[in-house]
Structures are given as structure tokens and as C-alpha cells.
Amino acid sequence: MNLYSSYIVYHNWGLIIHSSCAVQNGKAHIFAGHSGAGKSTAARLSEPRDLLSDEATIVKITEDEITVFDSPFRSELQSTGYQQPSPLGGIQLLHQADTNRLEKTRKPDALLSLMDKVFYWSHDPVETQRIMGLLRTLVEKVPVYELYFRKDPTFWELIS
């Protein structure tokens, strides 16, 4: 995964983000968080929606669009067979809670929150600048939210 990550960063193509991702109404929704935050749980609770990832989300980042691809890098859940790249509709930073709540994240805070979710970081300053540029484009083009969610599928009511 690190080799693939370094390759797509080197070519300024995109990033692999430690997250799960499901598709609703033609838009991909990323669920990111620290270890144990509920990425796989959110993926599991997203059925019957198509699943693009449960561990590592492949995100193509251009000035014109942000697109998510079906990921072969999985931990627990198998692909639903959905092979179409999907435009990214939003990123949810996960927090398990007693009630569902969705709060828009400011762009600088979103950038900082996503930095430790990127799989590949280089010691080379040029590569680091490339990754930061991709992250900046990502948070400029796609809304990022703090999602406080119960362990049931009702959190989708806030997203869709």
C-alpha cells in the first residue's frame, strides 16, 4: 500500500486515506477517524449502499474534481462489486456518541485532521509539499464534517 501511495503522490494524482467509503445517490462519502473510531462500523452500517473501501480509500484529486475509486486495500468487508469511480460528496470525521450530530468543520481544522489519515508521508520536502498541496485542494473542494454517530444506520439521515 505504501508503494502504491508513494506512486500516486509522486505523480501528483491523489492520496490514499485511512478511511471507509460508501456511495449514496451517486456520491461517495468518506468516513475517517483514529483507530477504533468506527470506520469499519460505519461501512458495515452503510449496507445496502455500495462500499468502495473499509480500510483505505483511493482519492483522485484534481483542480476540477475529487473522485473516489474502489479500493483493493480492505480489512474486513468485501467489495460490493461497484466499480464506477464516484465524485466525493463529503468527508465525515467519526466520533462515536449517544446521539447523531453533524457539524461542518472549518477548512484549516479539516486539513489538520486529515493529515494523520494519509497513508504515505515522505522525508523528502518536495514530496511533503506535494501531499500538502493535494490535501489543501481536497479540503477546498469537498466539505468536511465532524460526525457524532450512534452504532446504527440512522446517521445516514444527516448525510443524505
Side-chain angles (χ1 to χ4, degrees):
M1 187 170 359
N2 278 334
L3 180 61
Y4 186 75
S5 295
S6 66
Y7 181 82
I8 67 172
V9 165
Y10 177 79
H11 290 284
N12 209 36
W13 187 91
L15 299 168
I16 297 181
I17 298 174
H18 190 205
S19 61
S20 63
C21 183
V23 177
Q24 170 142 323
N25 299 327
K27 297 247 185 204
H29 297 276
I30 287 178
F31 300 99
H34 60 78
S35 184
K39 296 175 291 296
S40 293
T41 300
R44 210 173 2 268
L45 292 171
S46 294
E47 290 182 348
R49 293 162 188 86
D50 289 306
L51 186 65
L52 294 178
S53 67
D54 78 330
E55 178 69 23
T57 304
I58 301 171
V59 184
K60 182 175 183 179
I61 302 168
T62 70
E63 287 297 325
D64 298 326
E65 65 183 347
I66 311 296
T67 310
V68 179
F69 290 79
D70 186 43
S71 175
F73 308 112
R74 297 189 178 264
S75 64
E76 298 175 18
L77 304 175
Q78 295 301 313
S79 172
T80 56
Y82 186 80
Q83 299 294 317
Q84 296 298 319
S86 299
L88 183 56
I91 299 171
Q92 282 66 231
L93 302 171
L94 296 176
H95 307 277
Q96 293 181 31
D98 293 330
T99 58
N100 294 328
R101 189 172 85 240
L102 190 67
E103 298 175 0
K104 181 103 179 195
T105 305
R106 294 181 14 191
K107 292 181 188 314
D109 295 331
L111 180 77
L112 288 173
S113 293
L114 288 170
M115 285 176 66
D116 69 344
K117 313 300 183 285
V118 173
F119 269 102
Y120 171 75
W121 284 95
S122 173
H123 296 292
D124 177 14
V126 172
E127 288 283 292
T128 299
Q129 287 178 344
R130 195 172 286 135
I131 294 167
M132 289 303 295
L134 290 164
L135 275 173
R136 276 193 297 278
T137 301
L138 178 63
V139 300
E140 283 298 319
K141 303 280 183 190
V142 176
V144 179
Y145 303 93
E146 301 284 341
L147 174 61
Y148 298 85
F149 77 106
R150 294 186 322 203
K151 288 186 178 181
D152 65 38
T154 59
F155 65 86
W156 274 101
E157 295 168 8
L158 299 174
I159 297 169
S160 52

